[in-house]
Coordinates of all heavy atoms in Angstrom, one line a residue:
M1 N 112.5 151.8 141.6 CA 112.0 152.2 142.9 C 110.5 152.5 142.7 O 110.1 153.2 141.8 CB 112.7 153.4 143.4 CG 112.2 153.9 144.7 SD 113.1 155.3 145.3 CE 112.0 156.6 145.0
N2 N 109.7 151.9 143.6 CA 108.2 152.1 143.6 C 107.9 153.4 144.4 O 108.5 153.7 145.4 CB 107.5 151.0 144.2 CG 107.5 149.7 143.4 OD1 107.8 149.8 142.2 ND2 107.1 148.6 143.9
I3 N 106.9 154.1 143.9 CA 106.4 155.3 144.6 C 105.0 154.9 145.0 O 104.2 154.6 144.2 CB 106.4 156.5 143.7 CG1 107.9 156.9 143.4 CG2 105.7 157.7 144.4 CD1 108.0 158.1 142.4
Y4 N 104.7 154.9 146.3 CA 103.5 154.5 146.8 C 102.6 155.7 147.2 O 103.1 156.7 147.6 CB 103.7 153.7 148.1 CG 104.4 152.4 147.9 CD1 105.8 152.3 148.0 CD2 103.8 151.3 147.4 CE1 106.5 151.1 147.8 CE2 104.4 150.1 147.2 CZ 105.8 150.0 147.3 OH 106.5 148.9 147.1
R5 N 101.3 155.6 146.9 CA 100.4 156.7 147.2 C 100.0 156.7 148.7 O 99.5 157.7 149.2 CB 99.1 156.6 146.4 CG 98.2 155.5 146.6 CD 97.0 155.6 145.7 NE 96.2 154.4 145.7 CZ 95.2 154.1 146.6 NH1 94.9 155.0 147.5 NH2 94.5 153.0 146.5
S6 N 100.2 155.6 149.4 CA 99.8 155.5 150.8 C 100.8 154.5 151.5 O 101.2 153.5 150.9 CB 98.4 155.1 150.9 OG 98.0 155.1 152.3
H7 N 101.0 154.8 152.8 CA 101.8 153.9 153.6 C 101.0 153.5 154.9 O 100.4 154.4 155.5 CB 103.1 154.5 154.1 CG 104.1 154.6 153.0 ND1 104.1 155.6 152.0 CD2 105.1 153.8 152.6 CE1 105.1 155.4 151.2 NE2 105.7 154.4 151.5
V8 N 101.0 152.2 155.2 CA 100.3 151.8 156.4 C 101.4 151.4 157.4 O 102.1 150.4 157.1 CB 99.4 150.6 156.2 CG1 98.7 150.1 157.5 CG2 98.3 150.9 155.1
L9 N 101.6 152.2 158.4 CA 102.6 151.9 159.4 C 102.0 151.1 160.5 O 101.1 151.5 161.2 CB 103.2 153.2 160.0 CG 103.7 154.2 159.0 CD1 104.3 155.4 159.7 CD2 104.7 153.7 158.0
I10 N 102.6 149.9 160.7 CA 102.1 149.0 161.8 C 103.2 148.8 162.8 O 104.3 148.5 162.5 CB 101.7 147.7 161.2 CG1 100.5 147.9 160.2 CG2 101.3 146.7 162.3 CD1 100.0 146.7 159.5
C11 N 102.8 149.0 164.1 CA 103.8 148.9 165.1 C 104.3 147.5 165.3 O 103.5 146.6 165.4 CB 103.2 149.4 166.5 SG 104.4 149.4 167.8
G12 N 105.6 147.4 165.3 CA 106.3 146.1 165.5 C 107.0 146.0 166.8 O 107.8 145.1 167.0
G13 N 106.6 146.9 167.7 CA 107.2 146.9 169.1 C 106.8 145.6 169.8 O 105.8 145.0 169.4
T14 N 107.4 145.4 170.9 CA 107.1 144.2 171.7 C 105.7 144.1 172.2 O 105.0 143.1 172.0 CB 108.0 144.1 172.9 OG1 109.4 144.2 172.5 CG2 107.8 142.8 173.7
G15 N 105.1 145.2 172.7 CA 103.8 145.2 173.2 C 102.7 144.9 172.1 O 101.8 144.1 172.2
C16 N 102.9 145.6 171.0 CA 101.9 145.5 169.9 C 102.1 144.1 169.2 O 101.1 143.5 168.8 CB 102.1 146.6 168.8 SG 101.5 148.2 169.4
T17 N 103.3 143.6 169.1 CA 103.5 142.3 168.6 C 102.9 141.2 169.4 O 102.3 140.3 168.9 CB 105.0 142.0 168.4 OG1 105.5 143.0 167.5 CG2 105.2 140.6 167.8
S18 N 103.0 141.4 170.8 CA 102.3 140.4 171.6 C 100.8 140.5 171.6 O 100.1 139.6 172.0 CB 102.8 140.6 173.1 OG 102.2 141.8 173.6
S19 N 100.3 141.6 171.0 CA 98.8 141.7 170.8 C 98.5 141.5 169.3 O 97.5 141.9 168.8 CB 98.4 143.1 171.1 OG 98.6 143.4 172.5
K20 N 99.4 140.7 168.6 CA 99.1 140.2 167.2 C 99.3 141.3 166.1 O 98.6 141.1 165.1 CB 97.8 139.5 167.2 CG 97.7 138.4 168.1 CD 96.4 137.6 168.0 CE 96.4 136.4 168.9 NZ 95.3 135.7 169.1
S21 N 100.1 142.3 166.3 CA 100.3 143.2 165.2 C 100.9 142.5 164.0 O 100.7 143.0 162.9 CB 101.2 144.4 165.6 OG 102.5 144.0 165.9
D22 N 101.7 141.4 164.2 CA 102.2 140.7 163.1 C 101.1 140.1 162.2 O 101.2 140.0 161.0 CB 103.3 139.7 163.5 CG 102.7 138.7 164.6 OD1 101.8 139.1 165.3 OD2 103.2 137.6 164.7
K23 N 100.1 139.6 162.9 CA 99.0 139.0 162.2 C 98.2 140.1 161.4 O 97.7 139.9 160.3 CB 98.0 138.3 163.1 CG 98.7 137.2 164.0 CD 99.1 136.0 163.1 CE 99.7 134.9 164.0 NZ 100.7 134.1 163.3
I24 N 98.1 141.3 162.0 CA 97.4 142.4 161.4 C 98.2 142.8 160.1 O 97.6 143.0 159.1 CB 97.3 143.6 162.4 CG1 96.3 143.2 163.5 CG2 96.8 144.8 161.7 CD1 96.3 144.1 164.7
Q25 N 99.5 142.9 160.2 CA 100.3 143.2 159.1 C 100.1 142.1 158.0 O 99.9 142.5 156.8 CB 101.8 143.2 159.5 CG 102.7 143.5 158.3 CD 104.1 143.6 158.7 OE1 104.5 143.5 159.9 NE2 105.0 143.7 157.7
D26 N 100.1 140.9 158.4 CA 99.9 139.8 157.4 C 98.6 139.9 156.6 O 98.5 139.8 155.4 CB 100.0 138.4 158.1 CG 101.4 138.0 158.6 OD1 102.3 138.7 158.2 OD2 101.4 137.1 159.4
K27 N 97.5 140.3 157.4 CA 96.2 140.4 156.8 C 96.2 141.6 155.8 O 95.6 141.5 154.7 CB 95.1 140.5 157.8 CG 93.7 140.5 157.2 CD 92.7 140.1 158.1 CE 91.3 140.1 157.5 NZ 90.2 139.9 158.4
F28 N 96.8 142.8 156.2 CA 96.9 143.9 155.4 C 97.5 143.5 154.1 O 97.0 143.8 153.0 CB 97.7 145.0 156.0 CG 96.8 146.1 156.7 CD1 96.9 146.3 158.1 CD2 96.0 146.9 156.0 CE1 96.2 147.2 158.7 CE2 95.3 147.9 156.6 CZ 95.4 148.1 158.0
E29 N 98.7 142.9 154.2 CA 99.5 142.5 153.0 C 98.7 141.5 152.1 O 98.7 141.7 150.9 CB 100.8 142.0 153.4 CG 101.7 143.1 154.0 CD 103.0 142.6 154.5 OE1 103.2 141.4 154.9 OE2 103.9 143.4 154.7
K30 N 98.0 140.6 152.7 CA 97.2 139.6 151.9 C 96.1 140.3 151.2 O 95.9 140.1 150.0 CB 96.7 138.6 152.9 CG 95.8 137.5 152.3 CD 95.4 136.5 153.3 CE 94.4 135.5 152.8 NZ 93.0 135.9 152.8
L31 N 95.4 141.2 151.8 CA 94.2 141.8 151.2 C 94.7 142.8 150.1 O 94.1 142.9 149.0 CB 93.4 142.6 152.2 CG 92.6 141.7 153.2 CD1 91.8 142.5 154.2 CD2 91.6 140.8 152.4
L32 N 95.8 143.5 150.3 CA 96.3 144.4 149.3 C 96.8 143.7 148.1 O 96.5 144.1 147.0 CB 97.5 145.3 149.9 CG 97.0 146.3 150.9 CD1 98.3 146.9 151.6 CD2 96.2 147.4 150.3
K33 N 97.4 142.5 148.3 CA 97.8 141.7 147.2 C 96.6 141.2 146.4 O 96.5 141.2 145.2 CB 98.7 140.5 147.7 CG 99.4 139.8 146.5 CD 100.4 138.9 147.1 CE 101.2 138.3 146.0 NZ 102.3 139.1 145.5
E34 N 95.6 140.7 147.1 CA 94.4 140.2 146.5 C 93.7 141.3 145.6 O 93.1 141.0 144.6 CB 93.4 139.7 147.5 CG 93.7 138.3 148.1 CD 92.8 137.9 149.3 OE1 91.8 138.6 149.5 OE2 93.1 136.9 149.9
K35 N 93.7 142.5 146.1 CA 93.1 143.6 145.4 C 94.0 144.3 144.4 O 93.6 145.3 143.8 CB 92.6 144.7 146.4 CG 91.7 144.2 147.5 CD 90.3 144.0 146.9 CE 89.3 143.5 147.9 NZ 88.0 143.2 147.4
D36 N 95.2 143.7 144.2 CA 96.2 144.2 143.3 C 96.5 145.7 143.7 O 96.7 146.5 142.8 CB 95.7 144.1 141.9 CG 96.9 144.2 140.9 OD1 98.0 143.8 141.3 OD2 96.6 144.5 139.7
L37 N 96.6 146.0 145.0 CA 96.9 147.3 145.4 C 98.3 147.3 146.1 O 98.7 148.4 146.6 CB 95.9 147.8 146.4 CG 94.5 148.1 145.9 CD1 93.5 148.3 147.0 CD2 94.6 149.3 144.9
D38 N 99.0 146.2 146.1 CA 100.3 146.2 146.8 C 101.4 147.0 146.1 O 102.4 147.2 146.7 CB 100.7 144.7 147.0 CG 100.8 143.9 145.7 OD1 100.0 144.2 144.8 OD2 101.6 143.0 145.6
N39 N 101.1 147.4 144.8 CA 102.1 148.4 144.2 C 101.7 149.8 144.5 O 102.5 150.7 144.0 CB 102.1 148.1 142.7 CG 102.9 146.8 142.4 OD1 103.8 146.4 143.1 ND2 102.4 146.1 141.4
E40 N 100.6 150.0 145.1 CA 100.2 151.4 145.4 C 100.2 151.7 146.9 O 100.4 152.9 147.3 CB 98.7 151.6 145.0 CG 98.5 151.5 143.5 CD 97.1 151.8 143.1 OE1 96.5 152.7 143.6 OE2 96.6 151.0 142.2
I41 N 100.0 150.7 147.7 CA 100.0 150.9 149.2 C 101.0 150.0 149.8 O 101.0 148.8 149.6 CB 98.6 150.6 149.7 CG1 97.5 151.5 149.1 CG2 98.5 150.8 151.3 CD1 96.1 151.2 149.3
K42 N 101.9 150.6 150.6 CA 103.0 149.9 151.2 C 102.7 149.7 152.7 O 102.4 150.7 153.4 CB 104.3 150.7 151.0 CG 105.5 150.1 151.7 CD 106.0 148.9 150.9 CE 107.3 148.4 151.5 NZ 107.7 147.1 150.9
V43 N 102.9 148.5 153.2 CA 102.8 148.2 154.6 C 104.2 148.2 155.2 O 105.1 147.6 154.7 CB 102.1 146.9 154.9 CG1 102.0 146.6 156.4 CG2 100.7 146.8 154.2
V44 N 104.4 149.0 156.3 CA 105.7 149.1 156.9 C 105.6 148.8 158.4 O 104.8 149.3 159.1 CB 106.2 150.6 156.7 CG1 107.6 150.7 157.4 CG2 106.3 151.0 155.3
R45 N 106.5 147.9 158.8 CA 106.5 147.6 160.2 C 107.5 148.5 160.9 O 108.6 148.7 160.4 CB 107.0 146.1 160.3 CG 106.9 145.5 161.7 CD 107.0 144.0 161.6 NE 106.8 143.4 162.9 CZ 105.5 143.2 163.3 NH1 104.5 143.5 162.7 NH2 105.4 142.6 164.5
T46 N 107.1 149.1 162.0 CA 107.9 150.2 162.6 C 108.3 149.7 164.0 O 107.9 148.6 164.5 CB 107.0 151.5 162.8 OG1 106.1 151.2 163.9 CG2 106.4 151.9 161.6
G47 N 109.1 150.5 164.6 CA 109.4 150.3 166.1 C 108.3 150.8 166.9 O 107.2 151.3 166.4
C48 N 108.4 150.8 168.2 CA 107.4 151.2 169.2 C 107.1 152.7 169.0 O 108.0 153.5 168.9 CB 107.9 150.9 170.6 SG 106.8 151.5 171.9
F49 N 105.8 153.0 169.0 CA 105.4 154.4 168.9 C 105.4 155.0 170.3 O 105.1 156.2 170.4 CB 104.0 154.5 168.3 CG 103.9 154.2 166.9 CD1 103.3 153.1 166.4 CD2 104.4 155.1 166.0 CE1 103.2 152.8 165.0 CE2 104.4 154.9 164.6 CZ 103.7 153.7 164.1
G50 N 105.5 154.2 171.4 CA 105.5 154.8 172.7 C 104.1 154.9 173.3 O 103.9 155.5 174.3
L51 N 103.2 154.2 172.6 CA 101.8 154.2 173.1 C 101.3 152.8 173.3 O 100.2 152.4 172.9 CB 100.9 155.0 172.1 CG 101.3 156.4 171.8 CD1 100.6 156.9 170.6 CD2 100.9 157.3 173.0
C52 N 102.1 152.0 173.9 CA 101.9 150.5 174.0 C 100.6 150.1 174.6 O 99.9 149.2 174.1 CB 103.0 149.9 174.8 SG 104.7 150.4 174.3
E53 N 100.1 150.9 175.5 CA 98.8 150.5 176.2 C 97.6 150.7 175.2 O 96.6 150.2 175.5 CB 98.6 151.4 177.4 CG 98.3 152.9 177.2 CD 99.6 153.7 176.9 OE1 100.7 153.1 177.0 OE2 99.5 154.8 176.6
A54 N 97.8 151.4 174.1 CA 96.8 151.6 173.1 C 96.9 150.6 171.9 O 96.2 150.7 171.0 CB 96.7 153.0 172.6
G55 N 97.9 149.7 172.0 CA 98.2 148.8 170.9 C 97.3 147.7 170.7 O 96.4 147.4 171.6
P56 N 97.3 147.0 169.6 CA 98.2 147.3 168.4 C 97.8 148.6 167.7 O 96.6 148.9 167.7 CB 98.0 146.1 167.5 CG 97.3 145.1 168.3 CD 96.6 145.8 169.4
I57 N 98.8 149.3 167.2 CA 98.6 150.6 166.6 C 99.0 150.5 165.1 O 99.9 149.9 164.7 CB 99.5 151.6 167.3 CG1 98.9 151.9 168.7 CG2 99.6 152.9 166.5 CD1 99.8 152.7 169.6
A58 N 98.2 151.3 164.3 CA 98.6 151.5 162.9 C 98.3 153.0 162.6 O 97.4 153.6 163.1 CB 97.8 150.6 162.0
I59 N 99.1 153.5 161.7 CA 98.9 154.9 161.3 C 99.0 154.9 159.7 O 99.9 154.3 159.2 CB 100.0 155.9 161.8 CG1 100.0 155.8 163.4 CG2 99.8 157.3 161.3 CD1 101.1 156.7 164.0
V60 N 98.1 155.5 159.1 CA 98.0 155.5 157.6 C 98.4 156.9 157.1 O 97.8 157.9 157.6 CB 96.6 155.1 157.1 CG1 96.6 155.2 155.6 CG2 96.2 153.8 157.7
Y61 N 99.4 157.0 156.3 CA 99.8 158.2 155.7 C 99.5 158.2 154.2 O 99.6 157.1 153.6 CB 101.3 158.4 155.9 CG 101.7 158.9 157.3 CD1 102.2 157.9 158.2 CD2 101.4 160.2 157.7 CE1 102.5 158.3 159.5 CE2 101.7 160.5 159.0 CZ 102.2 159.6 159.9 OH 102.5 160.0 161.2
P62 N 99.2 159.3 153.5 CA 99.5 160.7 154.0 C 98.4 161.2 154.9 O 98.6 162.3 155.5 CB 99.5 161.5 152.7 CG 98.6 160.8 151.8 CD 98.8 159.3 152.2
E63 N 97.3 160.5 155.2 CA 96.2 161.1 156.0 C 96.6 161.4 157.4 O 96.1 162.3 158.1 CB 94.9 160.2 156.0 CG 94.4 159.9 154.6 CD 94.9 158.6 154.1 OE1 96.1 158.3 154.3 OE2 94.2 157.9 153.4
G64 N 97.4 160.5 157.9 CA 97.8 160.5 159.3 C 96.7 159.9 160.2 O 96.7 160.2 161.4
S65 N 95.9 159.1 159.6 CA 94.8 158.4 160.4 C 95.5 157.4 161.4 O 96.3 156.6 161.1 CB 93.9 157.6 159.5 OG 93.3 158.5 158.6
F66 N 95.0 157.5 162.7 CA 95.6 156.8 163.8 C 94.6 155.7 164.2 O 93.4 156.0 164.5 CB 95.9 157.7 164.9 CG 96.5 157.1 166.1 CD1 97.8 156.8 166.3 CD2 95.6 156.6 167.2 CE1 98.3 156.2 167.4 CE2 96.1 156.0 168.3 CZ 97.5 155.8 168.4
Y67 N 95.0 154.5 164.3 CA 94.1 153.4 164.7 C 94.8 152.7 165.9 O 96.0 152.4 165.9 CB 94.0 152.4 163.6 CG 93.3 153.0 162.4 CD1 94.0 153.5 161.4 CD2 91.9 153.0 162.3 CE1 93.4 154.1 160.3 CE2 91.3 153.6 161.2 CZ 92.1 154.1 160.2 OH 91.5 154.7 159.1
S68 N 94.0 152.5 167.0 CA 94.5 151.9 168.2 C 93.6 150.6 168.5 O 92.5 150.5 168.0 CB 94.5 152.8 169.4 OG 93.2 153.3 169.6
H69 N 94.1 149.8 169.4 CA 93.4 148.6 169.8 C 92.9 147.8 168.6 O 91.8 147.3 168.7 CB 92.3 148.9 170.8 CG 92.7 149.7 172.0 ND1 93.4 149.1 173.0 CD2 92.5 151.0 172.4 CE1 93.7 150.0 174.0 NE2 93.1 151.1 173.6
L70 N 93.7 147.7 167.6 CA 93.3 147.0 166.4 C 93.2 145.5 166.6 O 93.9 144.9 167.5 CB 94.4 147.2 165.3 CG 94.3 148.5 164.5 CD1 95.5 148.6 163.5 CD2 93.0 148.5 163.7
K71 N 92.3 144.9 165.9 CA 92.2 143.4 165.9 C 92.3 143.0 164.4 O 92.1 143.8 163.5 CB 90.8 143.0 166.4 CG 90.6 143.4 167.9 CD 89.3 142.9 168.4 CE 89.1 143.3 169.9 NZ 89.2 144.7 170.1
V72 N 92.7 141.7 164.2 CA 92.9 141.2 162.9 C 91.6 141.4 162.1 O 91.6 141.8 160.9 CB 93.3 139.7 162.9 CG1 93.3 139.1 161.5 CG2 94.6 139.6 163.6
D73 N 90.4 141.2 162.7 CA 89.1 141.3 162.0 C 88.8 142.7 161.7 O 87.9 143.0 160.9 CB 88.0 140.7 162.9 CG 88.1 139.2 163.0 OD1 88.8 138.6 162.1 OD2 87.5 138.6 163.9
D74 N 89.5 143.7 162.2 CA 89.3 145.1 161.8 C 89.8 145.4 160.4 O 89.4 146.4 159.8 CB 90.0 146.1 162.8 CG 89.3 146.1 164.2 OD1 88.1 145.8 164.3 OD2 90.0 146.3 165.2
V75 N 90.7 144.6 160.0 CA 91.3 144.8 158.6 C 90.4 144.1 157.6 O 90.4 142.9 157.5 CB 92.7 144.2 158.6 CG1 93.4 144.4 157.2 CG2 93.6 144.7 159.7
E76 N 89.7 144.9 156.9 CA 88.7 144.4 156.0 C 88.9 145.0 154.6 O 89.6 146.0 154.5 CB 87.3 144.7 156.4 CG 86.9 144.0 157.7 CD 85.5 144.3 158.3 OE1 84.9 145.2 157.7 OE2 85.1 143.7 159.2
T77 N 88.2 144.5 153.6 CA 88.4 145.0 152.3 C 87.7 146.3 152.1 O 86.9 146.8 152.8 CB 87.7 144.0 151.3 OG1 86.3 143.8 151.7 CG2 88.4 142.7 151.3
Ligands
FES1 S1 104.8 148.3 171.2 FE1 103.4 149.4 169.8 S2 103.3 151.3 170.7 FE2 104.8 150.4 171.9

């Protein structure tokens, strides 16, 4: 079992997925793998957070940082 120092929760609800949260997740996972951080930071697809109008949404733990209206290009190294 891996123990991760951080988790990136990305909304996989219908509204956020229609706003490309799946592409945002793919980019997070690609960059983490490229940086060899995929064993330290886990990307988790969640259900709807109930804030669909602010989507796509991501929350980073343990900080609890909340990101709304994300775009694929917002995910950078
Ligand atoms: S679909 Fe993402 S907050 Fe509802």
Side-chain angles (χ1 to χ4, degrees):
M1 180 175 106
N2 286 349
I3 296 176
Y4 297 96
R5 67 177 168 89
S6 187
H7 288 81
V8 179
L9 308 183
I10 299 179
C11 181
T14 305
C16 288
T17 300
S18 70
S19 299
K20 302 186 176 169
S21 68
D22 54 334
K23 305 289 184 213
I24 292 166
Q25 178 180 355
D26 290 346
K27 188 162 179 186
F28 264 115
E29 291 174 339
K30 177 177 177 275
L31 290 176
L32 290 171
K33 190 168 187 83
E34 285 176 6
K35 301 285 183 189
D36 201 25
L37 291 170
D38 55 328
N39 288 326
E40 296 181 41
I41 302 171
K42 176 76 172 170
V43 179
V44 179
R45 192 161 185 83
T46 72
C48 175
F49 288 111
L51 301 164
C52 311
E53 67 281 354
I57 288 171
I59 303 175
V60 180
Y61 285 104
E63 303 94 321
S65 301
F66 179 87
Y67 299 91
S68 61
H69 302 289
L70 277 175
K71 296 180 178 62
V72 173
D73 289 343
D74 292 332
V75 183
E76 296 179 353
T77 55

